[in-house]
Amino acid sequence: MMKYLDHLEEIIITFLIAAATVIIALAVGHRYLSGLPIPALQDWLLTINMSWAQELCIYMFVWMAKFGAAYGVRSGIHVGVDVLVTRLPDSWRKVTVVLAILGGALFTGLIGTLGAKFVWENGMHYAVFNKLGMNVAELIEGPITPDLEWPTWIIYSAVPLGSYLMCFRFLQVGFAFLRTGELPRHDHTHVDGIDEIGTLDSTEALEEYEQHKFNHKDAQGGVK
């Protein structure tokens, strides 16, 4: 089950990044080419409305940021200052780490709950009750976005969904720390696919370079 959740999280982030990049590229290209005095091309491009692109990309980046934050907790890529924590005795270090994780879970859980309440009152309750055929005469339909004209509660759903997922990731990391004593660590120098090539460390690379240079000089001396 966790494997599917991890993959879904990564798929959502990847899709949002890729789609936003494509949309931005198309919008910039459309704006640039529309200004060129090419009669047939310019007339055709001016009939295409791309005013929604900027708004959509903003919303996509918001969703990407919320789910990316949860991914950061799971993979340990969030920036943290642990100079003091690493100098504490093991018992105090464990307590400090657990308190920090619980604090993160409490905060994100609180943000998720407040966000869910806001989304519900911002139009989600109207959409749900209307879908179920209930009386919505006294309910507010809720605002819509300026260009796309989407219900804003759908956009704001990124806050409770991302925050609750982030809260879950904090609890997941906390349970793993209590069980193994290890926190997720991300090596910023690591690039997927490089490990299989078999790289040399800096000392071996320097020695190999010096040996190659020495052999090259000997070879030149021998030719002379």
Side-chain angles (χ1 to χ4, degrees), residues 51-66:
S51 61
W52 50 267
Q54 181 177 357
E55 182 180 286
L56 178 59
C57 287
I58 291 174
Y59 299 150
M60 294 176 76
F61 278 115
V62 170
W63 277 73
M64 180 178 61
K66 293 301 296 182

Side-chain angles (χ1 to χ4, degrees), residues 122-223:
N122 197 59
M124 184 179 180
H125 63 327
Y126 178 92
V128 172
F129 289 174
N130 187 48
K131 190 71 174 179
L132 296 176
M134 301 173 64
N135 183 18
V136 294
E138 299 181 358
L139 299 179
I140 300 176
E141 185 175 356
I144 59 176
T145 60
D147 295 323
L148 295 171
E149 297 183 353
W150 290 352
T152 56
W153 69 266
I154 296 179
I155 309 300
Y156 297 149
S157 295
V159 176
L161 292 176
S163 297
Y164 280 137
L165 180 59
M166 197 172 180
C167 177
F168 171 75
R169 293 303 187 189
F170 270 118
L171 295 176
Q172 183 184 30
V173 169
F175 283 123
F177 177 75
L178 291 175
R179 188 173 62 253
T180 64
E182 297 292 333
L183 291 171
R185 297 288 182 180
H186 179 75
D187 184 6
H188 295 279
T189 63
H190 171 73
V191 178
D192 291 337
I194 298 298
D195 291 342
E196 294 81 1
I197 298 177
T199 56
L200 298 174
D201 61 25
S202 57
T203 304
E204 293 175 339
L206 181 60
E207 291 176 354
E208 184 175 310
Y209 170 74
E210 293 293 338
Q211 183 65 31
H212 174 73
K213 184 170 65 173
F214 179 76
N215 294 336
H216 182 66
K217 288 182 178 179
D218 285 348
Q220 285 183 334
V223 171

